[in-house]
Amino acid sequence: MKITTSRIIPVDLNAILYRNEKSLERMHRMLAEATAESAAAARVPTESASAARVPTEAAVAMEATAELALLSDGARRFSRAAEARQLAMRTYMWEDEAGVWRDLEISSGGSLVGGGGVVSGGFASGGVASGGFASVSRLPQLSVASFAPLWAGGSTLEESARAVRALTSSGLLQPGGVATTLVHTGES
């Protein structure tokens, strides 16, 4: 068996990236809120403010407003990235029949492997895409990584329920913990 890790698009890595994108979105939103509060406080003149300090306070408010715009843009950027990753994981990695997510493998060819079989050329809803120069297919191996989206929070309630049922019946849950995989290679 040839191991081609550079051709694998792993579920667990995408789940980790999704969770990081959601964390960065929340962080940017929190910083934007704090910046907005600072900007609002900077706009309120105090009784002790002299005429010479007003331009400085205005400059601070303008700087805070610019920072707020950048933070808000960052929050939107990470939100869009998380949404796109979640959609890609659902579209390409989710195997509806089994109720699990699967790693993808990039290989040469030009076919499209989807939930309903093989389709030639391009993209199809619910399948795995190809761009003509390579095809992408779901790997059949089941591992604990197949359930990483449960931890990441990127699954729907229905997907979560189905994945938990699949995990429960997978044989991965062992006395004393969770097996990484059921494949015995002699290497671990």
Side-chain angles (χ1 to χ4, degrees):
M1 171 185 217
K2 184 178 177 184
I3 298 175
T4 55
T5 57
S6 64
R7 299 175 78 126
I8 304 299
I9 304 171
V11 170
D12 53 346
L13 174 60
N14 278 278
I16 290 166
L17 291 172
Y18 170 81
R19 188 165 172 145
N20 285 342
E21 289 158 349
K22 293 303 284 183
S23 294
L24 288 166
E25 173 194 357
R26 281 189 301 277
M27 181 188 72
H28 276 81
R29 289 198 194 288
M30 290 170 58
L31 288 171
E33 288 172 13
T35 301
E37 290 171 8
S38 295
R43 287 188 195 109
V44 177
T46 60
E47 289 183 26
S48 63
S50 67
R53 286 189 51 183
V54 172
T56 303
E57 289 174 357
V60 168
M62 286 175 45
E63 185 177 309
T65 302
E67 185 178 350
L68 174 62
L70 287 174
L71 290 169
S72 295
D73 286 346
R76 282 190 294 276
R77 186 179 73 243
F78 284 113
S79 176
R80 284 191 305 269
E83 288 171 10
R85 187 173 310 280
Q86 182 182 37
L87 177 61
M89 290 174 66
R90 180 167 295 121
T91 302
Y92 304 120
M93 295 178 159
W94 176 253
E95 186 176 288
D96 198 50
E97 187 175 311
V100 298
W101 294 268
R102 303 266 188 204
D103 290 341
L104 302 176
E105 182 177 26
I106 303 168
S107 59
S108 61
S111 65
L112 175 78
V113 179
V118 177
V119 179
S120 294
F123 294 88
S125 176
V128 178
S130 97
F133 59 91
S135 67
V136 181
S137 57
R138 291 186 195 104
L139 293 174
Q141 296 85 359
L142 185 68
S143 73
V144 72
S146 301
F147 302 96
L150 291 172
W151 162 82
S155 56
T156 66
L157 288 176
E158 181 185 345
E159 288 169 344
S160 296
R162 293 189 61 215
V164 167
R165 284 193 299 273
L167 176 60
T168 302
S169 65
S170 70
L172 291 169
L173 299 179
Q174 302 281 322
V178 179
T180 303
T181 182
L182 298 177
V183 176
H184 299 285
T185 64
E187 295 181 20
S188 59

